[in-house]
Coordinates of all heavy atoms in Angstrom, one line a residue:
I1 N 104.5 46.7 48.8 CA 104.0 47.8 49.7 C 102.6 47.8 49.5 O 101.8 48.1 50.6 CB 104.8 49.1 49.3 CG1 106.2 49.1 49.8 CG2 104.0 50.2 49.9 CD1 107.0 50.3 49.4
L2 N 102.0 47.9 48.4 CA 100.6 48.1 48.2 C 99.7 47.0 48.8 O 98.6 47.2 49.1 CB 100.2 48.2 46.7 CG 100.9 49.4 45.9 CD1 100.4 49.5 44.5 CD2 100.6 50.7 46.7
K3 N 100.3 45.9 49.0 CA 99.6 44.7 49.8 C 99.5 44.9 51.3 O 98.6 44.4 51.9 CB 100.3 43.4 49.5 CG 100.1 43.0 48.0 CD 100.7 41.5 47.8 CE 100.5 41.1 46.5 NZ 99.1 40.9 46.0
I4 N 100.4 45.7 51.7 CA 100.3 46.0 53.2 C 100.3 47.5 53.5 O 100.7 48.1 54.6 CB 101.5 45.4 54.0 CG1 102.9 46.0 53.3 CG2 101.5 43.9 54.0 CD1 104.1 45.6 54.1
Y5 N 99.7 48.3 52.5 CA 99.8 49.8 52.5 C 99.1 50.2 53.7 O 99.6 51.2 54.4 CB 99.0 50.2 51.2 CG 99.0 51.7 51.1 CD1 100.0 52.4 50.5 CD2 97.8 52.4 51.4 CE1 99.9 53.8 50.3 CE2 97.7 53.8 51.2 CZ 98.8 54.5 50.7 OH 98.7 55.9 50.5
D6 N 97.9 49.8 54.1 CA 97.2 50.4 55.2 C 97.9 50.1 56.6 O 97.5 50.7 57.6 CB 95.8 49.7 55.2 CG 95.0 50.2 54.1 OD1 95.2 51.2 53.6 OD2 94.1 49.4 53.6
K7 N 98.9 49.2 56.6 CA 99.5 48.9 57.9 C 100.8 49.7 58.1 O 101.4 49.7 59.2 CB 99.8 47.4 57.9 CG 98.7 46.5 57.8 CD 99.2 45.0 57.8 CE 98.0 44.1 57.7 NZ 98.2 42.7 57.7
I8 N 101.2 50.5 57.1 CA 102.4 51.3 57.2 C 102.0 52.7 57.5 O 101.2 53.3 56.9 CB 103.3 51.2 55.9 CG1 103.5 49.8 55.5 CG2 104.5 52.1 56.0 CD1 104.3 49.6 54.1
P9 N 102.7 53.4 58.6 CA 102.4 54.8 58.9 C 102.6 55.7 57.6 O 103.6 55.5 57.0 CB 103.4 55.2 59.9 CG 103.7 53.8 60.6 CD 103.7 52.7 59.4
K10 N 101.7 56.5 57.4 CA 101.7 57.4 56.2 C 103.0 58.2 56.0 O 103.5 58.5 55.0 CB 100.5 58.4 56.1 CG 99.2 57.5 55.8 CD 99.2 56.9 54.5 CE 97.9 56.1 54.2 NZ 97.7 54.9 55.1
I11 N 103.6 58.7 57.2 CA 104.7 59.5 57.2 C 105.9 58.8 56.5 O 106.7 59.4 55.8 CB 105.1 60.0 58.7 CG1 106.2 61.0 58.5 CG2 105.3 58.9 59.6 CD1 106.0 62.2 57.8
F12 N 106.1 57.5 56.8 CA 107.1 56.6 56.3 C 106.8 56.5 54.8 O 107.9 56.6 54.0 CB 107.2 55.4 57.0 CG 107.6 55.5 58.4 CD1 107.0 54.9 59.4 CD2 108.8 56.1 58.7 CE1 107.3 54.9 60.7 CE2 109.2 56.3 60.1 CZ 108.5 55.7 61.0
L13 N 105.6 56.3 54.4 CA 105.2 56.1 52.9 C 105.6 57.5 52.3 O 106.1 57.4 51.1 CB 103.9 55.7 52.8 CG 103.4 54.3 53.2 CD1 101.9 54.1 53.2 CD2 104.1 53.3 52.4
H14 N 105.3 58.5 52.9 CA 105.5 59.8 52.2 C 107.0 60.1 52.0 O 107.4 60.5 50.9 CB 104.8 60.9 53.0 CG 104.8 62.2 52.3 ND1 104.3 62.5 51.0 CD2 105.3 63.4 52.7 CE1 104.5 63.8 50.7 NE2 105.0 64.3 51.7
L15 N 107.7 59.8 53.0 CA 109.2 60.0 53.0 C 109.7 59.1 52.0 O 110.7 59.5 51.2 CB 109.8 59.9 54.3 CG 109.4 60.9 55.5 CD1 110.0 60.5 56.8 CD2 110.0 62.3 55.0
Y16 N 109.3 57.9 51.9 CA 109.8 56.9 51.0 C 109.6 57.4 49.5 O 110.4 57.3 48.6 CB 109.1 55.5 51.2 CG 108.8 54.7 50.0 CD1 109.8 53.9 49.5 CD2 107.6 54.8 49.4 CE1 109.5 53.1 48.4 CE2 107.3 54.0 48.3 CZ 108.3 53.1 47.8 OH 107.9 52.3 46.7
S17 N 108.3 58.0 49.2 CA 108.0 58.4 47.9 C 108.8 59.6 47.6 O 109.4 59.8 46.4 CB 106.5 58.7 47.8 OG 105.7 57.6 48.2
I18 N 109.0 60.6 48.5 CA 109.8 61.8 48.2 C 111.2 61.4 47.8 O 111.8 61.9 46.9 CB 109.8 62.7 49.3 CG1 108.4 63.3 49.6 CG2 110.8 63.8 49.2 CD1 108.2 64.2 50.9
F19 N 111.8 60.5 48.5 CA 113.2 60.0 48.3 C 113.3 59.4 46.8 O 114.2 59.9 46.2 CB 113.6 59.1 49.3 CG 115.0 58.5 49.2 CD1 116.1 59.3 49.4 CD2 115.2 57.2 48.8 CE1 117.3 58.8 49.3 CE2 116.5 56.8 48.6 CZ 117.6 57.6 48.8
L20 N 112.4 58.5 46.5 CA 112.6 57.9 45.3 C 112.2 58.7 44.1 O 112.9 58.7 43.1 CB 111.6 56.6 45.1 CG 112.1 55.5 46.1 CD1 111.1 54.4 46.0 CD2 113.5 55.0 45.8
F21 N 111.2 59.6 44.1 CA 111.0 60.4 42.9 C 111.9 61.6 42.8 O 112.3 62.0 41.7 CB 109.5 60.9 42.8 CG 109.0 61.9 43.9 CD1 109.6 63.2 44.0 CD2 107.9 61.5 44.7 CE1 109.1 64.0 44.9 CE2 107.4 62.5 45.6 CZ 107.9 63.8 45.7
T22 N 112.6 62.0 43.9 CA 113.6 62.9 43.8 C 114.9 62.4 43.2 O 115.5 63.0 42.3 CB 114.0 63.5 45.2 OG1 112.8 64.2 45.8 CG2 115.1 64.5 45.2
L23 N 115.2 61.2 43.5 CA 116.3 60.5 42.9 C 116.0 60.3 41.4 O 116.9 60.5 40.5 CB 116.6 59.1 43.5 CG 117.2 59.1 44.9 CD1 117.4 57.7 45.4 CD2 118.5 59.9 44.9
G24 N 114.8 60.0 41.0 CA 114.4 60.0 39.6 C 114.7 61.1 38.8 O 115.1 61.0 37.7
W25 N 114.5 62.3 39.4 CA 114.7 63.6 38.7 C 116.2 63.7 38.4 O 116.5 64.4 37.6 CB 114.2 64.8 39.5 CG 112.6 64.8 39.5 CD1 111.8 64.9 40.6 CD2 111.7 64.5 38.4 NE1 110.5 64.9 40.2 CE2 110.4 64.7 38.9 CE3 111.9 64.2 37.1 CZ2 109.3 64.5 38.1 CZ3 110.8 64.2 36.2 CH2 109.5 64.3 36.8
G26 N 117.0 63.1 39.4 CA 118.4 63.2 39.1 C 118.9 62.5 37.8 O 119.7 62.8 37.0

């Protein structure tokens, strides 16, 4: 992801991050 970070819409990156760190708290 970090290699193509600038090419991905920020909304998708934000949703992706929320999903993964929320699962982590589980």
Side-chain angles (χ1 to χ4, degrees):
I1 289 176
L2 296 184
K3 291 184 177 296
I4 56 173
Y5 181 82
D6 294 333
K7 298 179 181 180
I8 305 174
K10 291 298 185 287
I11 183 64
F12 293 127
L13 290 171
H14 188 52
L15 291 173
Y16 147 84
S17 301
I18 292 173
F19 180 72
L20 289 182
F21 66 63
T22 300
L23 289 182
W25 293 131

